Amino acid sequence: MSENRIKIKGAHQLELVGTHDENFKIIEAAFDVQLILRGDEVQIKGDDDSVGKAGKVLTELRFLLERNRSLGKRDVETVVDLINLNGSDVPSKSITREKQDILLYGKKQLIRPKTEGQKRYIQSVLDQDIVFCIGPAGTGKTYLAVAIALALLKEKKVTKIVLTRPAIEAGESLGYLPGDLMEKVDPYLRPLTDALFDMLPSDQLQKYVDHKVIEIVPLGYMRGRTMNNAFVILDEAQNATPMQMKMFLTRLGVSSKAVATGDITQTDLPETTQSGLMQIQEVLKGIDGIGFVYMDKTDVVRHRLVKEIIAAYETFHQNGSKKGN
């Protein structure tokens, strides 16, 4: 059994402890320690490692209080999660800086940018009304867009999320697939639902879907609609035709954001059909409020071999083009 004491200012005692000791209970449950407030200090009891982590949490929370003059349950959970992920050796006050990168609390982990490219992407989405993110598989283009959308929904900056994809892949057509409409489109929209399931409890996701707060629809069914106060995501945008891309972008209503993600090296459109994502780079170039973010193999966050596979294909195509010349 180990013990440590953390000094706190009297004016911050109630905020630090929380209503009905809520903040202390979160810390105690996370690290299996006992917190006792005595005068102007908190006594921490538990094993050595747990006492160290709990002490680090209290130190960071005290700093937050001094800077922000308030402390919420989410702040406490954020700091606790960061200490759990990084250990008690996190540099003092670095948590507050790192906290600014957090997008969302997923079911299993904190969701935050992991590369410089991802940071640029997130900042562009927050700053611009329309963002096109172009890059290879595994760079988190769609996953981060969904996380940003959910974060803005929770902050009530948007009231609706719409996720869409062109219903074309590997030469298949919806008409040739068995089942009703939803059974036909499910394989195409599954990557979007997978991201949502990773970030939301299933009951909450079902509630959002039932109340049309979150909609997942094929791109063709967006025609004729106007999206107000919405966050609209077009995934696999390289498979949208120029007309579909124009249709998608003109759905945007008041107080809405749109993100289109895609990999221009993996289009499934017929050779005679131009990709709307390729064309749009020239059409909308230089327009204020529209951003283009480009990812590359350095932003891949999947298995290490994915990065090497992408590099190998790049080398192969470069060598092939040289031979052709």
Side-chain angles (χ1 to χ4, degrees):
M1 180 71 70
S2 181
E3 182 178 317
N4 189 19
R5 297 173 187 269
I6 302 292
K7 290 277 187 179
I8 59 172
K9 294 182 180 179
H12 294 320
Q13 286 184 6
L14 294 180
E15 287 278 2
L16 187 65
V17 175
T19 306
H20 303 303
D21 299 340
E22 180 181 52
N23 297 341
F24 271 22
K25 289 176 182 177
I26 293 172
I27 300 169
E28 288 176 330
F31 302 111
D32 192 22
V33 295
Q34 182 181 12
L35 302 182
I36 303 169
L37 179 64
R38 295 187 185 281
D40 63 350
E41 66 181 20
V42 179
Q43 185 178 5
I44 312 169
K45 294 183 178 181
D47 64 52
D48 289 345
D49 184 58
S50 296
V51 166
K53 289 180 178 180
K56 189 67 178 179
V57 169
L58 288 171
T59 299
E60 294 294 339
L61 292 178
R62 185 182 61 186
F63 172 72
L64 279 175
L65 272 171
E66 290 172 355
R67 196 191 71 170
N68 300 337
R69 298 175 183 266
S70 65
L71 190 71
K73 178 182 176 183
R74 182 169 179 176
D75 293 313
V76 179
E77 291 172 336
T78 297
V79 176
V80 165
D81 287 341
L82 285 170
I83 290 293
N84 265 328
L85 288 172
N86 297 296
S88 58
D89 58 346
V90 179
S92 178
K93 301 183 181 179
S94 66
I95 285 179
T96 305
R97 291 191 294 273
E98 191 173 3
K99 178 177 176 287
Q100 296 171 354
D101 287 336
I102 296 171
L103 287 174
L104 195 72
Y105 298 86
K107 289 196 294 187
K108 297 180 181 178
Q109 62 180 349
L110 296 170
I111 299 170
R112 58 157 63 90
K114 297 179 179 178
T115 69
E116 289 303 314
Q118 289 187 347
K119 288 182 180 180
R120 291 196 306 272
Y121 174 35
I122 292 168
Q123 195 58 54
S124 183
V125 174
L126 296 176
D127 291 343
Q128 311 287 350
D129 291 329
I130 299 174
V131 171
F132 297 89
C133 185
I134 300 170
T139 51
K141 303 183 299 294
T142 303
Y143 194 82
L144 289 175
V146 173
I148 297 169
L150 287 172
L152 294 180
L153 180 68
K154 289 189 174 184
E155 293 172 9
K156 298 184 179 179
K157 293 182 179 178
V158 297
T159 58
K160 186 181 189 66
I161 297 173
V162 180
L163 309 172
T164 186
R165 284 181 126 196
I168 176 173
E169 192 169 328
E172 296 178 352
S173 170
L174 285 181
Y176 292 99
L177 294 176
D180 59 21
L181 174 63
M182 289 313 298
E183 290 173 328
K184 288 180 178 183
V185 301
D186 181 69
Y188 301 101
L189 303 178
R190 180 57 61 86
L192 297 172
T193 56
D194 284 348
L196 288 169
F197 276 119
D198 199 34
M199 299 176 196
L200 289 174
S202 55
D203 57 340
Q204 186 179 8
L205 175 57
Q206 188 62 53
K207 181 180 178 181
Y208 279 154
V209 171
D210 291 344
H211 290 82
K212 304 292 185 183
V213 174
I214 294 178
E215 283 191 71
I216 309 171
V217 295
L219 181 57
Y221 290 82
M222 295 278 289
R223 192 176 302 277
R225 301 183 62 182
T226 300
M227 302 296 173
N228 295 316
N229 301 306
F231 194 109
V232 191
I233 300 171
L234 171 60
D235 188 34
E236 298 290 335
Q238 77 275 5
N239 287 331
T241 66
M243 287 301 296
Q244 286 178 321
M245 182 63 75
K246 180 181 178 182
M247 181 271 291
F248 167 74
L249 293 173
T250 53
R251 300 307 94 202
L252 208 61
V254 178
S255 301
S256 291
K257 284 182 177 287
V259 175
T261 67
D263 179 356
I264 55 178
T265 69
Q266 295 196 46
T267 177
D268 295 308
L269 291 168
E271 291 184 7
T272 56
T273 304
Q274 184 180 18
S275 166
L277 186 59
M278 289 282 288
Q279 184 193 70
I280 208 68
Q281 297 174 77
E282 291 297 321
V283 175
L284 301 183
K285 184 170 58 178
I287 296 180
D288 189 41
I290 297 178
F292 287 88
V293 178
Y294 296 90
M295 302 273 208
D296 59 32
K297 58 180 179 290
T298 63
D299 297 303
V300 172
V301 292
R302 290 183 184 170
H303 192 287
R304 65 170 183 83
L305 286 177
V306 174
K307 190 177 298 186
E308 295 185 27
I309 289 168
I310 292 169
Y313 267 100
E314 289 177 354
T315 302
F316 175 80
H317 288 303
Q318 288 170 3
N319 292 340
S321 62
K322 289 177 182 177
K323 291 178 181 179
N325 292 332

